[in-house]
Amino acid sequence: MSLVSGPGRGGITEGQLPSELRLYVDKHVTYIQSLDKRKDELEYWLTEHLRLSGLYWGLTALHLLGQPDALPRSEVLDFVISCLQDDGGFAAAPQHDSHMLYTVSGVQILAMLDALDEFDERVSGGREKVARFIANLQHPKTGTFAGDIWGETDTRFLYGALNALSLLGMTNLVDVDKAVEHVQACANSDGGYGTSPGAESHAGQVFTCVGALAIAGRLDLVDRDKLGGWLSERQLSNGGLNGRPEKLEDVCYSWWVVSSLAMIDRLHWISGSKLQEFILKCQDPDHGGISDRPGDMVDVFHTVFGIAGLSLTKYPGLVEVDPI
Amino acid sequence: MASHGVPRIAPTEARTGQARQKELEKIEEYVDLVAQVNKNIAERHFTIEVLALTSKLLKRNPEDYTVWNHRRLILQHHFKNPPAASAQSQSVSTALSASQQSVLDLITSDLGFLVPLLVAFPKCYWIWNHRIWLLEQSTSHLPAITVRRLWQDELSLVGKMLNRDKRNFHGWNYRRLVVAQLELHSPSDGHADSSDTSRQTSMVETEFIYTTKMINSDLGNFSAWHNRSKLIPRLLDERQADAAARRKMLDAEFDLTQQGLIDPENQSMWFYHQSLMSTLSPECPRHAAIVLDLTNHDRCGYYERELARVKEMLDDYQDCKWVYQALLQYAAVYREVDAGNKACTTTEMRHWLRELQRLDPLRSGRWDDIEKSLGL
């Protein structure tokens, strides 16, 4: 079992938009199911390095669309376990190395399939092994986390670590207070957060930092009005959201911005209906999938974040998503 | 990673038999190359030939993080067991041993390999990450003066990268890292003893000038404004600026924003103005503060002056929501410091709020909340 996460090929000619603004549920389900059957496309092989995350994105989209069984559970589980490495981390695919990003995806899939116990049965002490891999990547002095043994640090990894450890019920293995201190050090005067202390605020990093604080139970540290104001200014007149001031809109911010707003109770500070309109315009109505902007190539990354954005803004018929 | 800004193309079915065959051949070639690299790494064949194979792969697909790891394993092996340096490169060197020279050659050649990749894929985390790793390696294998020269070259590289894309946040993060490293490996310090902070040479003044240059070429470059806001408090501390110098700096920055607000839709400018206003607050942390001895009387003076300046903009821009937003926000803060102030009335505030609700319906939820919280 494996699944391509790279671009699917949109079927409509350039510039042509969906005629009717509705969610093409069946098309998206078929699109996600088709991703594993595209081995005759070079893109399939060029995206192997993010296969496990691709599977998580596809599976999450299917859960939100109310079709959690559209991918065969046992094959998904087999693939996840085949990505587990000797060091306790997950790789993107069997021939790859462990990394925090894919370890988080692995744990998220196991949790979503309610398979954590099964995982322990199949891999003795599996949960603890994975949790220790994650815990060992925390920097003892600064509280931040590296992505792997090569040492790159980023608040993306810090959030991922807390997310996975909380799903595993093992946040006690790390110094949560130190991690919170690090997040605080990444805060800026505009209310947002950056990748590291001193870095410019970015909606993706706002999500990771606010998410980490939410998991740590420290949302009291967020200046909600200031951050909410900055986040709400991400919405442009076409309804789409950008990630930083004066940048282009992109469907993936429908997740990073909107889930952050939801975590600080400011979801109503943007127009949900305008955002929904924008996301629906990014669909490929013929072959399924959602792209970054109308008319562009679709991929599973934008598909899940588009659908999650619709779910957060209460689009009818979708399963409600947890913003954290 | 995911596809950004890639136009939709014809579906799979539409590809002709020939194009399809060509794609299958490309796949076979790629998969073979991956298998070849994996096999060599598994057998610990850390040779220069295998390094060249990883180059070939990474040029096709710089997002494949595992191949970068393979590359580091090979380089690490050669750093530990350096081959004899070529006679040519030895002659260039001043005081390097033969093994140091060969480490330097490897690092320099790898840094060179990355440049066209960075230009082609400026948003790829793994390329930046590998570059940082290489430079970190230089610290453990090479003399301080050589390390410093390497970092010095990085400063000009990142300058070029930021000229190509003025907002690239990888570029700005990298610039801050390079500057921190150069400050650490200062020229006066032949031994690069990082524990001796007194010997570090600060670059805060030149970096401040750099932000001015970037802002002058594009007032909407929020990345530059952001960096400036982080540099100013440090700059003042290092200048050991007295109270008067600090006030002068704050005034100069407020004046600068006035120039920028010639375009009232310049969001970057408003966010910078807002960040200057937030330094007036008694809750502003010391590391972000500009003036350290503000009294409430001083605060009121600043609020009045800035409110008056923004109000003046209403003469020309009655339909710019940013003007009303700033007025309302600053008036609310001013009211907290001095409830009886004459600079703005509740009637005015109510009017600004109505204008915001009219001009900016996307965020009506926010304006409604503000209406309630301010009791308007």
Side-chain angles (χ1 to χ4, degrees):
Chain A
M1 177 75 205
S2 52
L3 187 129
V4 73
S5 60
R9 289 169 198 264
I12 54 169
T13 49
E14 211 178 322
Q16 189 188 331
L17 296 176
S19 49
E20 191 190 343
L21 276 186
R22 64 174 175 90
L23 184 64
Y24 295 85
V25 174
D26 294 344
K27 298 281 184 191
H28 296 318
V29 172
T30 317
Y31 165 72
I32 292 164
Q33 287 172 324
S34 81
L35 290 172
D36 187 37
K37 303 178 182 100
R38 308 176 84 130
K39 294 177 187 167
D40 60 341
E41 292 175 24
L42 183 59
E43 195 63 35
Y44 178 91
W45 300 98
L46 291 179
T47 53
E48 191 179 65
H49 60 274
L50 32 81
R51 196 79 79 219
L52 192 58
S53 292
L55 184 53
Y56 168 69
W57 296 326
L59 208 55
T60 305
L62 291 172
H63 274 251
L64 296 177
L65 292 167
Q67 306 218 14
D69 303 320
L71 288 180
R73 184 178 188 273
S74 69
E75 282 177 44
V76 171
L77 267 186
D78 288 349
F79 179 73
V80 171
I81 291 171
S82 77
C83 294
L84 184 66
Q85 305 295 304
D86 291 340
D87 58 12
F90 285 94
Q95 294 282 320
H96 289 253
D97 290 346
S98 297
H99 194 281
M100 178 72 83
L101 294 174
Y102 310 106
T103 305
V104 178
S105 294
V107 172
Q108 285 174 315
I109 296 174
L110 291 173
M112 190 157 38
L113 296 179
D114 197 15
L116 284 166
D117 288 336
E118 212 175 320
F119 176 60
D120 264 349
E121 282 161 27
R122 289 177 63 172
V123 180
S124 171
R127 264 195 269 203
E128 175 145 2
K129 227 178 137 185
V130 174
R132 296 224 172 264
F133 170 82
I134 296 171
N136 284 336
L137 289 172
Q138 187 174 33
H139 198 288
K141 264 193 208 150
T142 62
T144 189
F145 283 79
D148 61 14
I149 53 165
W150 299 101
E152 183 191 10
T153 62
D154 188 319
T155 44
R156 289 178 300 152
F157 310 144
L158 184 152
Y159 162 76
L162 294 192
N163 177 321
L165 288 173
S166 86
L167 290 173
L168 293 166
M170 294 189 201
T171 44
N172 60 314
L173 291 183
V174 294
D175 190 337
V176 176
D177 293 340
K178 270 262 181 235
V180 167
E181 259 175 55
H182 182 76
V183 171
Q184 282 298 93
C186 296
N188 289 320
S189 70
D190 54 22
Y193 299 83
T195 51
S196 53
E200 181 186 348
S201 296
H202 179 291
Q205 306 299 332
V206 169
F207 166 78
T208 61
C209 289
V210 176
L213 293 176
I215 293 169
R218 293 307 309 273
L219 281 176
D220 60 294
L221 296 171
V222 180
D223 184 338
R224 293 176 185 225
D225 284 340
K226 205 169 205 181
L227 176 59
W230 187 86
L231 286 168
S232 71
E233 293 298 343
R234 299 306 104 239
Q235 187 162 42
L236 305 176
S237 52
N238 60 18
L241 305 166
N242 64 14
R244 288 186 286 160
E246 280 156 308
K247 300 286 281 184
L248 279 179
E249 69 283 1
D250 183 322
V251 158
C252 62
Y253 294 113
S254 312
W255 175 251
W256 314 122
V257 173
V258 182
S259 59
S260 301
L261 283 169
M263 284 189 266
I264 58 169
D265 303 317
R266 300 289 182 277
L267 189 51
H268 59 291
W269 281 19
I270 57 164
S271 164
S273 59
K274 288 281 280 183
L275 176 64
Q276 291 181 354
E277 233 173 80
F278 172 76
I279 298 171
L280 293 174
K281 278 185 195 162
C282 294
Q283 298 178 101
D284 180 335
D286 298 325
H287 298 80
I290 298 177
S291 57
D292 57 350
R293 282 184 283 281
D296 280 353
M297 186 105 95
V298 304
D299 63 54
V300 72
F301 174 84
H302 289 95
T303 304
V304 67
F305 292 124
I307 293 172
L310 292 173
S311 160
L312 277 173
T313 50
K314 310 272 189 298
Y315 188 84
L318 288 176
V319 176
E320 225 174 287
V321 62
D322 179 340
I324 303 168
Chain B
M1 197 183 178
S3 52
H4 284 101
V6 185
R8 275 182 203 165
I9 54 165
T12 314
E13 303 86 83
R15 284 177 298 160
T16 63
Q18 211 181 359
R20 221 180 144 73
Q21 192 52 42
K22 216 171 168 193
E23 182 152 14
L24 290 177
E25 279 164 24
K26 272 194 195 160
I27 291 173
E28 202 185 329
E29 190 201 331
Y30 181 76
V31 172
D32 278 352
L33 187 57
V34 172
Q36 215 179 327
V37 169
N38 283 345
K39 183 169 178 285
N40 276 299
I41 296 298
E43 291 169 358
R44 306 182 63 80
H45 289 157
F46 297 142
T47 63
I48 295 299
E49 290 72 31
V50 181
L51 188 76
L53 291 179
T54 67
S55 304
K56 210 171 157 186
L57 263 185
L58 290 167
K59 278 190 227 163
R60 313 249 337 240
N61 191 5
E63 292 284 359
D64 191 333
Y65 70 101
T66 303
V67 184
W68 288 112
N69 295 348
H70 292 343
R71 194 174 181 87
R72 286 189 280 269
L73 285 175
I74 298 169
L75 288 168
Q76 239 173 14
H77 173 80
H78 287 279
F79 292 158
K80 277 186 209 137
N81 317 279
S86 71
Q88 199 186 9
S89 56
Q90 262 174 333
S91 65
V92 179
S93 138
T94 47
L96 295 185
S97 70
S99 66
Q100 283 175 331
Q101 184 62 51
S102 77
V103 169
L104 177 61
D105 288 348
L106 281 168
I107 289 178
T108 314
S109 133
D110 229 41
L111 289 172
F113 165 70
L114 296 180
V115 173
L117 286 181
L118 274 181
V119 172
F121 308 96
K123 292 182 179 174
C124 177
Y125 283 91
W126 309 111
I127 308 176
W128 291 103
N129 185 25
H130 186 67
R131 198 164 189 92
I132 295 168
W133 179 83
L134 284 170
L135 287 150
E136 282 169 357
Q137 291 300 303
S138 75
T139 311
S140 5
H141 295 284
L142 298 172
I145 184 158
T146 314
V147 175
R148 181 175 164 81
R149 211 173 298 140
L150 288 172
W151 281 111
Q152 194 72 51
D153 289 344
E154 293 308 287
L155 193 62
S156 69
L157 173 92
V158 76
K160 283 182 197 135
M161 291 295 291
L162 287 174
N163 277 340
R164 293 177 68 94
D165 178 0
K166 295 177 168 54
R167 295 290 308 280
N168 183 337
F169 81 82
H170 295 280
W172 281 99
N173 283 345
Y174 193 61
R175 187 173 186 97
R176 282 183 284 267
L177 175 88
V178 170
V179 167
Q181 288 296 323
L182 280 171
E183 289 176 334
L184 207 61
H185 301 284
S186 71
S188 60
D189 180 4
H191 304 288
D193 180 0
S194 59
S195 60
D196 185 358
T197 47
S198 63
R199 288 170 128 182
Q200 292 178 15
T201 305
S202 170
M203 289 174 62
V204 69
E205 296 280 355
T206 49
E207 283 307 285
F208 180 70
I209 293 168
Y210 180 74
T211 64
T212 312
K213 187 185 115 193
M214 293 302 270
I215 287 161
N216 283 338
S217 83
D218 177 8
L219 286 166
N221 186 343
F222 186 70
S223 304
W225 287 114
H226 163 80
N227 218 32
R228 190 176 182 87
S229 74
K230 295 278 178 185
L231 288 168
I232 288 175
R234 219 188 106 196
L235 180 114
L236 290 168
D237 284 349
E238 289 184 11
R239 284 182 186 169
Q240 295 177 313
D242 60 14
R246 285 174 176 275
R247 274 161 213 263
K248 206 174 149 199
M249 170 67 86
L250 181 60
D251 287 340
E253 291 305 294
F254 271 125
D255 289 346
L256 192 61
T257 60
Q258 280 301 301
Q259 288 175 34
L261 289 174
I262 288 171
D263 171 13
E265 298 291 342
N266 181 346
Q267 195 177 133
S268 302
M269 203 68 263
W270 286 113
F271 276 119
Y272 188 65
H273 193 254
Q274 184 185 300
S275 100
L276 290 178
M277 293 295 278
S278 74
T279 69
L280 300 174
S281 159
E283 276 143 44
C284 176
R286 172 65 181 80
H287 65 79
I290 298 177
V291 178
L292 304 177
D293 58 349
L294 285 171
T295 62
N296 265 356
H297 178 74
D298 295 333
R299 288 190 180 97
C300 293
Y302 279 110
Y303 291 139
E304 269 168 38
R305 191 186 68 193
E306 291 308 308
L307 276 166
R309 280 174 158 186
V310 180
K311 260 190 199 176
E312 231 178 74
M313 296 179 70
L314 285 178
D315 296 342
D316 297 316
Y317 308 105
Q318 286 183 1
D319 286 332
C320 175
K321 74 131 183 171
W322 292 99
V323 178
Y324 298 105
Q325 194 168 326
L327 286 172
L328 191 61
Q329 194 181 345
Y330 303 152
V333 184
Y334 189 13
R335 211 168 65 167
E336 265 173 44
V337 178
D338 178 9
N341 79 75
K342 303 272 186 305
C344 42
T345 63
T346 309
T347 318
E348 268 180 316
M349 287 171 77
R350 201 173 288 136
H351 168 68
W352 298 332
L353 181 81
R354 296 283 172 266
E355 289 296 318
L356 273 175
Q357 285 165 329
R358 173 178 75 86
L359 293 165
D360 192 17
L362 278 184
R363 281 158 279 270
S364 61
R366 184 180 179 203
W367 312 134
D368 294 349
D369 279 0
I370 289 179
E371 182 174 11
K372 272 177 235 142
S373 69
L374 292 182
L376 299 174

